[in-house]
Amino acid sequence: MSYLVPVTGEGGRVSEVLARLARVDDPELDESVLDLGFVTGVGVDDAGAVDIGFRLPTYWCAANFAFLMADDMRREVASLPWVGRIRLELGDHMYAETINRAMASGQSFQEAFAEEADGNLEAVRHIFALKAFQRRQLAVLNHLSGAGHDEAAILSLSIGGLRSVDLRPEGARLVARYLARRSLVGPAGDADPAFVNERGDAVTPASFAAHRRDLRRVTVNVEFNGALCRGLLAARFGEALPEPAREPTLLDFVRGRAGGRPIPA
């Protein structure tokens, strides 16, 4: 886990809080706020009060993204039956006071920002959830191809069939993450096609090449933003860039160039 200061409180309850926070993703980057290093501390007292500190890569990170993450953290932790008061504190951000006050009082984004609120927050959430769906789909397609499955067999898979494919643990994890977003674009029963486009239409051999190019474009943009955010966070707080946890991304390119060493294969 990537929280930055020692947690306080009884270990079992702290672990429960951390498990809930691990389920909260940055809406743009589709990565856990814990893995990104955004959580700066967690405290739990005997009465079930929870304190959570978090930070963002820059002072001016978008208010809607900051609010979404704060609200998702609050909701996830509040779902634990023993939790009483939650105090969530965003630090060193241009809208920290507004967001922290909203979290304490249960205000919505519109209530907290009034005339400054720009657009529907749920619409923003949907746009980036769709990008996450596309990125996760490409990860599964690449894994299946790398495991030796041919294109026709992959595209013929139903959701139930995809679940039953014998994959390494990493492949099973990618499938589970992808299927968690599959219902975003249409029916997601076991008999429904595993691989569909953003409109919910099944991907066919004829459309596959263009579809995969679209997925790659989305993925490159997301990974570039992720690399940028990690770099900004590390520079802002004087920390080392994290080592890659999975397959090489643009972050590895940034690290390799900066360090004058080869990019990992």
Side-chain angles (χ1 to χ4, degrees):
M1 297 298 184
S2 299
Y3 51 86
L4 301 175
V5 299
V7 295
T8 61
E10 187 269 320
R13 286 189 166 184
V14 167
S15 296
E16 289 183 52
V17 171
L18 292 173
R20 293 289 174 169
L21 293 177
R23 296 167 56 170
V24 177
D25 291 334
D26 178 301
E28 183 178 21
L29 306 181
D30 191 35
E31 294 185 53
S32 160
V33 293
L34 284 182
D35 291 341
L36 287 165
F38 291 175
V39 176
T40 57
V42 172
V44 178
D45 71 13
D46 292 340
V50 178
D51 293 293
I52 302 166
F54 79 109
R55 63 182 185 172
L56 293 171
T58 70
Y59 183 76
W60 55 86
C61 283
N64 51 5
F65 290 164
F67 190 96
L68 276 172
M69 283 183 275
D71 196 41
D72 285 350
M73 284 189 271
R74 182 183 61 82
R75 291 173 185 270
E76 282 288 348
V77 173
S79 68
L80 292 168
W82 53 265
V83 169
R85 187 266 300 155
I86 299 173
R87 184 173 66 190
L88 197 148
E89 185 173 349
L90 170 62
D92 198 21
H93 185 272
M94 63 188 297
Y95 291 114
E97 183 177 347
T98 301
I99 291 173
N100 292 340
R101 184 171 59 246
M103 293 302 105
S105 61
Q107 288 181 312
S108 68
F109 183 70
Q110 294 292 140
E111 290 168 335
F113 285 88
E115 67 276 3
E116 294 181 63
D118 182 16
N120 185 317
L121 203 62
E122 290 308 309
V124 173
R125 188 192 295 274
H126 179 81
I127 289 169
F128 285 98
L130 184 58
K131 291 180 184 296
F133 158 79
Q134 293 171 308
R135 185 186 181 206
R136 294 179 187 190
Q137 184 183 108
L138 181 62
V140 173
L141 289 170
N142 287 344
H143 190 88
L144 289 170
S145 296
H149 299 274
D150 64 53
E151 178 184 310
I154 291 171
L155 296 181
S156 70
L157 286 169
S158 65
I159 290 176
L162 178 59
R163 285 197 180 99
S164 68
V165 174
D166 185 16
L167 297 170
R168 300 187 300 273
E170 174 64 8
R173 185 191 70 82
L174 293 174
V175 167
R177 274 178 56 80
Y178 168 61
L179 292 180
R181 296 282 191 184
R182 173 61 181 76
S183 62
L184 186 71
V185 295
D190 279 353
D192 291 305
F195 299 107
V196 296
N197 63 22
E198 70 278 8
R199 298 179 300 278
D201 302 323
V203 180
T204 66
S207 65
F208 184 63
H211 176 71
R212 196 164 192 167
R213 283 196 298 272
D214 289 342
L215 298 183
R216 284 172 176 157
R217 184 169 59 250
V218 169
T219 297
V220 166
N221 287 336
V222 172
E223 290 183 353
F224 176 83
N225 288 336
L228 181 62
C229 283
R230 284 187 172 88
L232 289 170
L233 190 73
R236 186 182 188 196
F237 295 101
E239 299 166 359
L241 283 169
E243 289 300 317
R246 304 185 187 92
E247 67 275 5
T249 69
L250 285 175
L251 177 58
D252 307 321
F253 174 82
V254 172
R255 184 186 296 108
R257 290 300 187 195
R261 55 184 172 84
I263 301 168

